[in-house]
Amino acid sequence: MSTLRTEVGIVGAGPAGLVLSHLLYLEGIDSAVLENRSRQYCEERIRAGVLESGTVDLLVQMGVGERMKREGLIHYGIELRFGGQGHRIDFKDLTGRAITVYGQHEVIKDLIQARLATGGRILFEVEDVRIDGFESAHPKIHYTHAGQPGEIHCDFIAGCDGSHGVCRPSVPPGALTVYDRQYPFGWLGILAEAPPASEELIYAHHDRGFALHSMRSPQITRLYLQCAPDENLDQWPDDRIWEELQTRLSGGNDWRLHEGRILQKGVTGMRSYVVEPMQHGRLFLAGDAAHIVPPTGAKGLNLAVADVRVLARALNAFYSTGSTTELDRYSKACLRRVWRVQRFSWWMTSMLHKHEGNPFDERRQLAELDYVTSSRAASQSLAENYVGLPMDDTLLR
Ligand SMILES: Cc1cc2nc3c(=O)[nH]c(=O)nc-3n(C[C@H](O)[C@H](O)[C@H](O)COP(=O)(O)OP(=O)(O)OC[C@H]3O[C@@H](n4cnc5c(N)ncnc54)[C@H](O)[C@@H]3O)c2cc1C
């Protein structure tokens, strides 16, 4: 049995776990990260790609933003397309800020490289992870690595293991309140070897359902179609996907998507989910382990980063003064942002997706889109949420 002692034991090497580990390192606090997937799998897993300006600033401050600054695409707006016409939301004019398009897997590569280059401990491909002792001052993480059992003894556990991890289910029944909303649709997403047909993201509301044109680089397009939550991908040969995307994203003129080889296809369910509180004893939940947002607002990764920024500061306050005041406030501080982001993600989802059934909803959605694209106040509300709520302490009070 191998036993390892550290200050903060972190489960999960996604954005939450890796950003936390590096922030702690920069404050001189020791941590170890356990991850059940391989390094290659983590670095190739295609997920989010829109970084809020606050996330970008934090990654730069942490010294992991070099490649992002070189290769990331800075966008000063998005387009909302409905009734066959496009309407631009101009972030620069409305907020003075921008978003950066840079794949989550690229952020992960940069973080893993920085952690390993600075002596960080990340154990990939661990199995049977189990946590206990977090209701005492002596939490433990148990695992198996290369067939050998191991234990991490730590002061705190950070549960950064995503929506299907082991940390949240380890909290005793009844200690957490769950808020959950499932949507009757999902997204069929593709990654295509084709240059983006527009410089900015296009969110399309269409009679046949929602569609999104996004990108990961000047050569790679990321596209999504609203579909059933359990859509069978076998029913979607490449030609059908392109045809449906061309229809839903059509702009009324001769604008067309650039088509290319489809590199990856997948269906993602849509859910809004929060557990409260985000802490139990010395276990702190962060990112998708504590909350899930539908991807329409492009917030999941950004919210994970915002959580661990708060947690790193609270842990730093504990290790430098012995005070638990900030740790005790962790959940309350995070939840204020979490619920605002939940509201925004739910609102974008409800406005843009086709809801079967009541024609009233269709008319209401069009009125909402008309309002959002013609009123400066309404456009500004969308823009300030999209580029990201402040990462300073405004939301911590
Ligand atoms: C399939 C999918 C597609 C998505 N697409 C988009 C998108 O297009 N746009 C968008 O904005 N957002 C998207 N998201 C959301 C966004 O990617 C997440 O919000 C973000 O990854 C959250 O980061 P995290 O670190 O909290 O969790 P994760 O990134 O999920 O990281 C958790 C880590 O913990 C590891 N882990 C899990 N269980 C264990 C265990 N038992 N032991 C050890 N390690 C464990 C996992 O392998 C993973 O590496 C998507 C999410 C998913 C699941």
Side-chain angles (χ1 to χ4, degrees), residues 200-354:
E200 295 179 342
L201 275 74
I202 303 171
Y203 285 79
H205 171 88
H206 192 275
D207 286 349
R208 296 175 64 89
F210 169 76
L212 172 61
H213 166 275
S214 179
M215 64 291 292
R216 290 296 177 265
S217 73
Q219 295 81 33
I220 303 287
T221 320
R222 180 86 167 135
L223 296 142
Y224 298 95
L225 286 170
Q226 178 181 348
C227 63
D230 54 353
E231 193 75 42
N232 180 359
L233 274 177
D234 295 343
Q235 310 286 315
W236 286 89
D238 295 2
D239 286 355
R240 182 176 173 208
I241 294 178
W242 285 116
E243 200 183 314
E244 193 64 26
L245 284 165
Q246 295 285 12
T247 305
R248 294 193 197 179
L249 282 160
S250 66
N253 42 31
D254 55 3
W255 185 93
R256 281 185 68 77
L257 288 170
H258 300 138
E259 299 184 12
R261 190 161 66 95
I262 295 183
L263 305 171
Q264 207 204 60
K265 274 185 216 181
V267 172
T268 313
M270 306 274 278
R271 194 172 185 186
S272 300
Y273 180 95
V274 183
V275 292
E276 292 190 11
M278 291 167 57
Q279 173 195 4
H280 186 79
R282 288 187 167 225
L283 168 66
F284 293 83
L285 301 174
D288 278 17
H291 40 68
I292 305 166
V293 283
T296 328
K299 294 292 169 210
L301 182 162
N302 295 293
L303 204 49
V305 170
D307 285 351
V308 294
R309 180 177 173 275
V310 177
L311 184 54
R313 278 177 46 156
L315 288 165
N316 189 33
F318 173 82
Y319 284 108
S320 41
T321 67
S323 162
T324 62
T325 309
E326 287 205 36
L327 284 171
D328 296 340
R329 287 180 54 228
Y330 167 73
S331 181
K332 193 165 175 238
C334 289
L335 284 167
R336 192 158 176 219
R337 170 186 289 269
V338 167
W339 278 109
R340 287 208 197 177
V341 168
Q342 287 287 357
R343 182 209 68 81
F344 176 68
S345 304
W346 163 84
W347 173 74
M348 286 282 281
T349 303
S350 323
M351 176 171 70
L352 289 161
H353 289 74
K354 184 175 172 64

Side-chain angles (χ1 to χ4, degrees), residues 11-265:
V11 186
L18 292 169
V19 169
L20 177 64
S21 175
H22 205 60
L23 282 173
L24 294 177
Y25 158 76
L26 294 171
E27 299 291 356
I29 300 167
D30 191 54
S31 70
V33 182
L34 291 181
E35 165 60 51
N36 63 359
R37 301 288 192 164
S38 68
R39 177 178 179 179
Q40 186 182 358
Y41 184 93
C42 293
E43 292 186 340
E44 290 176 0
R45 183 167 43 192
I46 302 293
R47 287 192 174 172
V50 171
L51 306 184
E52 294 177 355
S53 58
T55 303
V56 168
D57 293 346
L58 183 69
L59 294 172
V60 171
Q61 281 162 24
M62 290 166 63
V64 293
E66 268 311 302
R67 201 163 62 91
M68 173 187 65
K69 277 169 68 182
R70 248 191 352 263
E71 297 176 16
L73 309 171
I74 298 178
H75 287 191
Y76 292 100
I78 54 167
E79 184 180 318
L80 297 183
R81 200 170 270 192
F82 57 98
Q85 284 203 339
H87 306 259
R88 184 163 187 263
I89 305 288
D90 185 334
F91 296 157
K92 192 169 189 187
D93 173 46
L94 294 162
T95 68
R97 293 193 285 148
I99 52 158
T100 298
V101 174
Y102 188 64
Q104 177 168 329
H105 63 292
E106 304 293 355
V107 176
I108 295 291
K109 277 184 213 162
D110 297 342
L111 285 163
I112 291 177
Q113 193 189 31
R115 275 306 31 235
L116 298 180
T118 48
R121 283 177 293 188
I122 311 175
L123 225 47
F124 291 99
E125 297 179 79
V126 296
E127 293 172 303
D128 309 323
V129 174
R130 204 163 44 76
I131 60 171
D132 60 30
F134 50 86
E135 288 176 320
S136 75
H138 306 289
K140 281 190 197 142
I141 311 178
H142 311 265
Y143 61 93
T144 305
H145 188 240
Q148 297 300 312
E151 269 181 17
I152 294 184
H153 295 201
C154 48
D155 302 328
F156 300 96
I157 298 175
C160 300
D161 48 349
S163 52
H164 300 295
V166 292
C167 290
R168 192 183 61 238
S170 304
V171 176
L176 300 178
T177 303
V178 175
Y179 300 88
D180 194 7
R181 170 187 281 258
Q182 309 259 7
Y183 296 83
F185 38 76
W187 279 8
L188 192 169
I190 63 164
L191 195 68
E193 204 172 36
S198 154
E199 277 183 20
E200 295 179 342
L201 275 74
I202 303 171
Y203 285 79
H205 171 88
H206 192 275
D207 286 349
R208 296 175 64 89
F210 169 76
L212 172 61
H213 166 275
S214 179
M215 64 291 292
R216 290 296 177 265
S217 73
Q219 295 81 33
I220 303 287
T221 320
R222 180 86 167 135
L223 296 142
Y224 298 95
L225 286 170
Q226 178 181 348
C227 63
D230 54 353
E231 193 75 42
N232 180 359
L233 274 177
D234 295 343
Q235 310 286 315
W236 286 89
D238 295 2
D239 286 355
R240 182 176 173 208
I241 294 178
W242 285 116
E243 200 183 314
E244 193 64 26
L245 284 165
Q246 295 285 12
T247 305
R248 294 193 197 179
L249 282 160
S250 66
N253 42 31
D254 55 3
W255 185 93
R256 281 185 68 77
L257 288 170
H258 300 138
E259 299 184 12
R261 190 161 66 95
I262 295 183
L263 305 171
Q264 207 204 60
K265 274 185 216 181

